[in-house]
Amino acid sequence: MNDVHCSLQDIQPSQDLLREQIVDFSAHVFRRSRALGWVTRMPVLMIDQPSNETAPQSQRTPASHKCTLSLSRRSGLRDLSTYVAVSYCWKRELVWPSVDGHSAYEVSYDNLSKRPSIAPYDVLCRSMAYAKAHGVYAVWIDQECIEQNDTRDKEAAIQEMDIVYQDSDHPIAILEYCFQTQTELDVFTSICDNAYFTFDPSQIDILETVLSALINDEWFARAWTLQESVSAGVSMTLLLGCPGLQKSPHFGLTPDDVEISIWDFQNAMVWVRGLIEEGLAAGIWPETESAINASNYADILWNCLPTILPQDSRDRLKRNSSHRQVCNAAQGMTFLKNRENSLFSDRLAILANLCNYEYRINSKVLWPAGSSFSICALTLAIVNGDMSLLGGYEAQDKRSINHSYDSPTRSTSLAKDGRSIRPVYENDDHDTPSNAYGFSWGPKPSASLQSINYLEEDGRLFRLKPSILSRYGLRVCGVLWNIDCIVYIPKTQKEFSVRWQEELSLQIGEGVLEGKTRQTTLTQEFSWSLLHELIELDFDELARSIWNFVQPLGRDPVNGNESYELSPPYSYDYIFGHLLQSPMCPDQNFEYDKHEVRGRLAAPYLSFDLENEAFDRPILQRLLIDRVCKEGALVCGTPVFSPHGIKQPRVWFEACNLGDQIFTPVTNLGDGATRSRYRNEAMSWRVSETGRSTDDCKILHCLGRRRGVWRIEDLCHEDYVLE
């Protein structure tokens, strides 16, 4: 049942029944195994070239296009990645009519039998042309390589479809769109080819026409093609027809087709937006309406795909397919909202493929009973440790993209994208059970998958490990903290309290972005002072946690971009070892450029504005500065289980009092989570012990989420059940 527009409390009015339904659905979970999976033995089309296929294009007769394709196993390829994986829409108008009205291809199988090809003629013709131009003679096309009448083969293929495109060195998307004139192709070239990158303002109406036609290509509207493009990532190449036209060498070797990578296509759309905005400011467009339309169309085309760019530019240049984009469930649901597929029951598998989930739910078992898609999706995410459907919901379907456009052929605007800059893992200051539905850690009762926001992830994902559902709750591994001590910080308070009051006064009436330089300096100098005072007071463990939160990120030597996934340039012992008498710093006369280190400490904006979705809550560092400057102390916590029995304050969480308990789960990000995009998200839960246990695991009741500064990797991790 497609109920993504319904709230959880409308789908299932009883919390007890919702819990039971989630647990029942989890009984249908199975593990996807690649070792013996369908994808390792999937069929591929092998191209058998006739002798005259090598003749020049102009000398070929129509008959020379006919060739026999043979089905073979991927396992027989010399290189298992050297095949073309084709993404296309089944229902399409014939761009190039078939020869004599018949299929131009025959497919042989089982060494003896032959059958006519099934896929659309232009898809076969163009994919074979691409393969030959690139010296590849194995092609995968779903209609040809999946036994469409075998339900077991189809279900296996559906569950591993993402790997087909991830593993291919040549994933391509064949669009129906064809350039109609040389002028249209030249205008498109001017926004894509770095050798051109010039644009004639008088041709803005032609650009409007081209982009308008592209947004109405069905490839941008289908759910399966979304999954295929995300799985292929930076390796995906779009083919746009240009029969009989002269194309730039920039657009590849395939005859009669423009080849453009998704990376270059998305960059071109961003460039168009910037170009048009600058032109509007300068008044250079003869047709202002055409310019605005073209800008909106470019925005739609950029927003209809998740960001597929890897952090490391070297991987992009190498077209490293291991850097496929992986969505979280909230992101996947947002992009699926504007996508369609023939069988809605396949949507659960598409979501699992978008998220590269190891654990799957057999939708064929659930769907005949009319099961709720929303609850199935929620269960699927939870059993894979994906918590993105637990928060980030809005009462209204607001989006961070402000441009609106209604396509003449589609009622829904693709520009309403969910690249959210609102809180995803929301803090819950009310601490009332009604704020969670089903389980004590569940979403809000008013949550609907139609109004979810997401945080776009790069590299490693924020996933709990493990994440096991039972009738008692969610079994997870992590660290339990007792909030049990107050750390006084008088020197830092004295040094910064007046300055902080001045800063608060300056922010009144000031735009949130106006004081960036001033705020950066304040934040970095405050962090530096706080770290030194904590070390002087022998609060080394707390200082290490704060350093983990604010330390400089690793920097890519090629493009200079910083990333939490790269090794940090300085360790805590390297910087502060001379104060700690650390063996990691044997030279007690050690000197370093403290200005360079301090100038690279994390320092986001301190301002916030309740009316601005990007800055509608104070960041964690603002709260930390405010607490120290106003109270001269932090309410901190120690681990319940500590190695060697050492009890020293180690963590600080917002909105906590003495006697509280906080649970921080183990995730794939480890301690890197506090340096990642999640640094200002509430990743921990305030909990209370129930006094009950199951399978030697204590059962905890969740009372709300909390943001904080923490470090868990070198501690003993315990399994708990969140009821």
Side-chain angles (χ1 to χ4, degrees), residues 208-221:
E208 176 193 12
T209 299
V210 170
L211 297 184
S212 175
L214 280 171
I215 65 170
N216 288 296
D217 192 292
E218 282 298 301
W219 190 86
F220 292 107

Side-chain angles (χ1 to χ4, degrees), residues 31-44:
R31 188 167 188 169
R32 180 169 78 163
S33 173
R34 292 194 56 183
L36 299 173
W38 173 89
V39 74
T40 60
R41 59 180 186 275
M42 69 181 189
V44 292

